Amino acid sequence: MSIQQEKIKDLVERRSSARLGGGRKRIEDQHAKGKLTARERLTLLLDEGSFEEFDMFVHHHCTDFGMDKSHPDGDGVVCGRGTIDGRIVYVFAQDFTVNGGSLSKTMGAKICKVQDMAMRYGAPVIGLNDSGGARIQEGIDALAGYGEIFERNILSSGVIPQISAIMGPCAGGAVYSPALTDFTIMVRDSSYMFLTGPAVVKSVTGEVVDQETLGGADVHAGKSGVAHFAAEDEKDAIGIIRALLGFLPQNNRDRAPLKPTEDPFGRSDDALNEIIPDNPNKPYDMYEVIFSIVDDGQFLEIHREFARNIIVGFAHMGGRSVGIVANQPMSGAGVLDINASRKAARFVRFCDAFGIPLVTLVDVPGFLPGTQQEYAGIISNGAKLLYAYGEATVPKVTVTLRKSYGGAHIVMSCKQLRGDINYAWPSANIAVMGADGAVGILFGKEFKSETDPDKLAELKEARKKEYDDLFCNPYQAAQKGYIEDVIEPRNTRFRIIRALIALENKRPELPDRKHGNIPL
């Protein structure tokens, strides 16, 4: 065997050894927990044969607490580049079989290198997290590694899409990298996120709680809103990532890919003419409207389990990627509260950062009243959504279906927040408030002066009809130019798509400033 052949053989053996991570026993332990290895995850995520690994042979440099006795290739993270549906992405996957996936100085440097390359070449970056946290043996060096990663998350924000999948533990300072990225996917029953674990919680507060209850996927998808998706298993999580990328551009200077469809642009749906109940207090399902107007009835919802009184997500309309924001009458009558405002504001800002047009479907009775909301800051949180819509320069098409009252009307992409095209259905009520509340204020003295109960009831009904006829319709708003047109519900899909085509080359003008001060 020649020297060259020996070196090639050595390379093949080293590569094979590196691909085993922490060894076969630890791989078996990972599988016994129902979890895939870092490399298995990347194989599922990326197009077949597209992965090119970087820094396979990097070692850590720690010599304390016995770390000098083990220097595994790769140091617990697999990094590189590949494609998803033919589009370039940069990836890193922490390897729990190597030192529990703990973050060292060199692991941090590998991840930062991938982040830097993604920024430099304008492509999404995807992190698959499965780590026990900072490597204790490296002390401040490990913490510095996190800081370097966080800074790149911040600088990449709004420039390239950043997606995090939590495939196992993610605790302490490590949670802030996913929190800084655009979308976070967790896996039920095998992933968790928290700043302080159950043992610390018990020692400090006396509260007894397990990992799943403290920071499991359902907790963060449904209660805290930290996670955008709760996947059933790792394959489901990876499928969500691939689906999500289909709606996103490569970077903030690119356009989202067009998706060919045979769904006619001008398709109408007679069912929409019947969907609004005669009783203004009776709910209907906004999902039926969304599925009716988008291409092929396909809608990828974001934050499905969190703040269900508002719906946000991605779809295609006429082949173009759009972000949809819609009040949901089936949940709390579609009222806006703190969580709904935060959820929608973040989604609106993401779409604006990456040039994805916004379609807003409005049926909102107002903001949720009460001391709980006021004390928790509904004013500043509602202002986040107001700010997000007012700041957004992407094409904005708004359709008011039924109720649009008071401050909530303004917040939901009204004309005064630079809405480009605002439509309304004939059933739309655009006013300061509904008839019941309004007549009590406008005619309170008149009602008090009437002592006959039957005449009082008759008087209230007459005043309500008077108010309804004047305000509870879209025509006063149309007369003043606050909406472009009152449209037949069955034609909603066609009217929105035609508006989006007309707005494709929108050229917004913004004041010269470093950045605004959104009420965080």
Side-chain angles (χ1 to χ4, degrees), residues 14 38 83 89 95 135 204 228 252 256 279 287 320 347 354 381 387 392 407 441-442 488:
R14 287 198 64 172
T83 63
V89 295
D95 187 350
R135 192 168 297 172
V204 174
H228 298 81
N252 64 337
N279 183 345
Y287 287 113
R320 295 163 177 80
F347 181 75
F354 289 97
N381 282 281
Y387 193 107
I441 295 172
L442 294 172
E488 191 175 350

Side-chain angles (χ1 to χ4, degrees), residues 163-225:
I163 300 174
S164 299
I166 315 301
M167 302 297 203
C170 186
V175 300
Y176 282 115
S177 180
L180 290 167
T181 60
D182 298 308
F183 300 102
T184 299
I185 301 109
M186 295 186 70
V187 180
R188 286 190 170 98
D189 301 322
S190 65
S191 69
Y192 54 84
M193 298 174 70
F194 40 66
L195 279 170
T196 52
V200 176
V201 170
K202 182 179 180 181
S203 67
V204 174
T205 70
E207 183 181 7
V208 177
V209 63
D210 60 26
Q211 290 179 340
E212 190 66 27
T213 306
L214 182 62
D218 288 321
V219 169
H220 286 309
K223 293 184 178 180
S224 73

Side-chain angles (χ1 to χ4, degrees), residues 20 149 194 269 319 350 367 407 418 430 432 495 511:
L20 288 175
I149 293 169
F194 40 66
D269 187 350
F350 175 84
F367 283 96
R418 298 187 301 177
I430 304 172
V432 174
R495 297 302 294 268

Side-chain angles (χ1 to χ4, degrees), residues 64-113:
D64 297 325
F65 299 102
M67 290 298 294
D68 57 324
K69 298 177 182 178
S70 175
H71 293 85
D73 287 333
D75 198 27
V77 66
V78 182
C79 298
R81 176 185 64 220
T83 63
I84 293 178
D85 293 329
R87 300 166 65 204
I88 293 289
V89 295
Y90 287 82
V91 295
F92 66 87
Q94 291 175 318
D95 187 350
F96 196 80
T97 71
V98 178
N99 295 315
S102 58
L103 190 123
S104 65
K105 182 178 180 179
T106 52
M107 180 193 285
K110 285 183 66 174
I111 293 173
C112 287
K113 182 175 179 179

